[in-house]
Amino acid sequence: YMRDSYDRPRANVLTWLVSTIVAVYLVQSILVHFFPATGYWFETALGLSAYSLKSGHLWTLVTYGFLHDTGLPLQVVGYLLIIYFVGRDILPILGARRFIGFYASALAVGGLCWTAVHWRHPELLFGASAGVWGLFILFACFYPNREVSFLFFFVLPVTFKPKHLAYLVVAI
């Protein structure tokens, strides 16, 4: 049976988020390692600092979550795995717009909390931890007693309930 129009499968917002983080990480790594001056500018323009907020660069409250430490690729892989596995359960509940809105809000709130503590210091913040742990805490709210299993260091099987890890993350 042939028909002219059919719904083409579209990439969901989760795929775009993971792809964007990977693309920005690759660009950042290339710039930092091969063009240090441009890499420094790239990180300063998108990273979060008290100075950037004082200068009116409000976009850094979200863009810092797409930059990462180029020396820690396994951390980026870990964050991407958490975003993917947690996000695929949360995305159908929230929908695409609210999912991205929540992720951006988690980044902004985490960035504001960090900036409040480091207001007088010139440090630069980057990393997706606020967004990732925000998504995980939301996952724990929806599925507090679901058993989650993974291989710790690819060797030791670990099973836990999301609510217990969420309590630990909030406490830290």
Side-chain angles (χ1 to χ4, degrees), residues 89-90 93-94 98 136-145:
D89 285 334
I90 295 174
I93 296 170
L94 294 182
R98 290 189 341 183
F136 186 83
I137 290 170
L138 183 64
F139 175 80
C141 290
F142 285 128
Y143 306 106
N145 294 314

Side-chain angles (χ1 to χ4, degrees), residues 108-121:
V109 169
L112 286 172
C113 290
W114 181 87
T115 306
V117 172
H118 296 88
W119 188 251
R120 298 192 185 271
H121 304 286

Side-chain angles (χ1 to χ4, degrees), residues 90-153:
I90 295 174
L91 186 59
I93 296 170
L94 294 182
R97 286 187 182 182
R98 290 189 341 183
F99 180 85
I100 285 297
F102 180 83
Y103 184 77
S105 299
L107 285 174
V109 169
L112 286 172
C113 290
W114 181 87
T115 306
V117 172
H118 296 88
W119 188 251
R120 298 192 185 271
H121 304 286
E123 289 98 8
L124 190 65
L125 175 68
F126 42 82
S129 58
V132 168
W133 292 116
L135 286 176
F136 186 83
I137 290 170
L138 183 64
F139 175 80
C141 290
F142 285 128
Y143 306 106
N145 294 314
R146 177 187 282 184
E147 288 193 353
V148 177
S149 298
F150 69 97
L151 290 174
F152 190 66
F153 290 115

